[in-house]
Amino acid sequence: QLQYHAGLASGLLNQQSLKRSANQMGVSAKRRPKAQPTTLVLPPQYVDDVISRIDRMFPEMSIQLSRPNGTSAMLLVTLGKVLKVIVVMRSLFIDRTIVKGYNENVYTEDGKLDIWSKSNYQVFQKVTDHATTALLHYQLPQMPDVVVRSFMTWLRSYIKLFQAPCQRCGKFLQDGLPPTWRDFRTLEAFHDTCRQ
C-alpha cells in the first residue's frame, strides 16, 4: 500500500496538478486520466547485489537475506549486540520492519522469521514505530536502492542506542527509556518528547 500511494503522489506531483488556474478548471475531473502507480519489479539478482553492497558498507551490521516466498526478500539485520531487525521487502521496496532486542527470538516454532509478533521490550517497540516512520520519510520510488541504503544508514545510528544521550536535554534516560528517536538528516539521538 505504501508503494502504491507513493506512486500516486509522485504522479500527481510530476503533473503539478496541485496548482489551480482558470485553464485547468475547464478540464472535467472525470476526463482526467488516473495516475497509475509506478511499480518497479527488479530481478532478484539485482536486489541481492544491492543488499550485499550495503552489508559490506557497514561492518558493525550483518544482513542475512532469505526468500521464503520466492521473489519477496526478507532480511535479518543484526546491529552489533544491540538489536535485530526483520525487514520484509517486495523487490527493493521495504514493506515492514520489526525491531527486537539482540537476545530475543526472531524465529517462529517452524524456523521461519517471525514477522508478526512485536518485541517484549518497550524500547524496541518504540524503535519499531520510528522505523515505520522512517520508511515513510525515505521515499523515492524512482531510486529504491538509494532508499534502502538511506534507511540502513539511519538504522545503523542505533548502534549506540543505550550509550548516546539526548541531544536536547542531555540525559540518557527519560521515563525509563533511552533516546529512541533518530533525526532523519543528522542521525542525532532524541527522546520522544524532546524531538519536537
Side-chain angles (χ1 to χ4, degrees):
Q1 278 185 335
L2 182 65
Q3 179 184 351
Y4 172 78
H5 290 292
L8 287 178
S10 173
L12 288 173
L13 290 173
N14 287 337
Q15 293 173 359
Q16 293 185 348
S17 63
L18 298 177
K19 295 180 182 176
R20 291 181 182 239
S21 67
N23 298 347
Q24 289 180 335
M25 293 310 247
V27 177
S28 170
K30 292 179 184 175
R31 289 190 203 151
R32 257 187 242 144
K34 283 188 177 181
Q36 294 297 320
T38 55
T39 56
L40 186 61
V41 178
L42 300 165
Q45 184 58 45
Y46 178 76
V47 174
D48 295 355
D49 290 345
V50 169
I51 298 302
S52 67
R53 265 185 274 140
I54 291 171
D55 190 24
R56 287 192 300 270
M57 277 175 60
F58 306 122
E60 64 278 355
M61 181 188 282
S62 76
I63 303 174
Q64 297 173 5
L65 185 139
S66 62
R67 295 187 187 280
N69 305 351
T71 56
S72 298
M74 290 178 59
L75 309 178
L76 177 59
V77 181
T78 306
L79 186 60
K81 294 197 185 264
V82 180
L83 53 83
K84 292 181 180 178
V85 184
I86 300 169
V87 180
V88 181
M89 301 178 74
R90 190 177 322 130
S91 192
L92 262 182
F93 295 94
I94 301 174
D95 276 346
R96 174 185 178 93
T97 59
I98 297 97
V99 180
K100 294 192 175 188
Y102 180 76
N103 294 321
E104 285 189 89
N105 186 19
V106 292
Y107 294 100
T108 58
E109 292 175 3
D110 58 356
K112 295 180 180 175
L113 283 173
D114 184 4
I115 63 170
W116 301 112
S117 64
K118 59 184 183 179
S119 173
N120 296 325
Y121 303 102
Q122 189 179 0
V123 63
F124 297 114
Q125 291 172 19
K126 285 269 192 200
V127 176
T128 298
D129 293 343
H130 298 326
T132 303
T133 306
L135 292 180
L136 296 172
H137 175 78
Y138 294 116
Q139 275 300 316
L140 194 58
Q142 296 81 6
M143 296 166 52
D145 53 333
V146 173
V147 171
V148 175
R149 191 167 51 245
S150 300
F151 178 76
M152 291 299 183
T153 303
W154 175 84
L155 192 63
R156 193 192 85 203
S157 68
Y158 282 93
I159 191 76
K160 297 200 180 273
L161 174 62
F162 298 107
Q163 299 167 331
C166 175
Q167 294 299 306
R168 173 128 328 132
C169 70
K171 296 179 182 174
F172 286 95
L173 293 176
Q174 187 179 79
D175 299 327
L177 292 175
T180 56
W181 176 262
R182 296 295 183 270
D183 187 85
F184 296 131
R185 287 186 201 92
T186 64
L187 305 178
E188 293 176 327
F190 291 96
H191 290 113
D192 241 2
T193 54
C194 294
R195 68 184 168 110
Q196 276 86 16

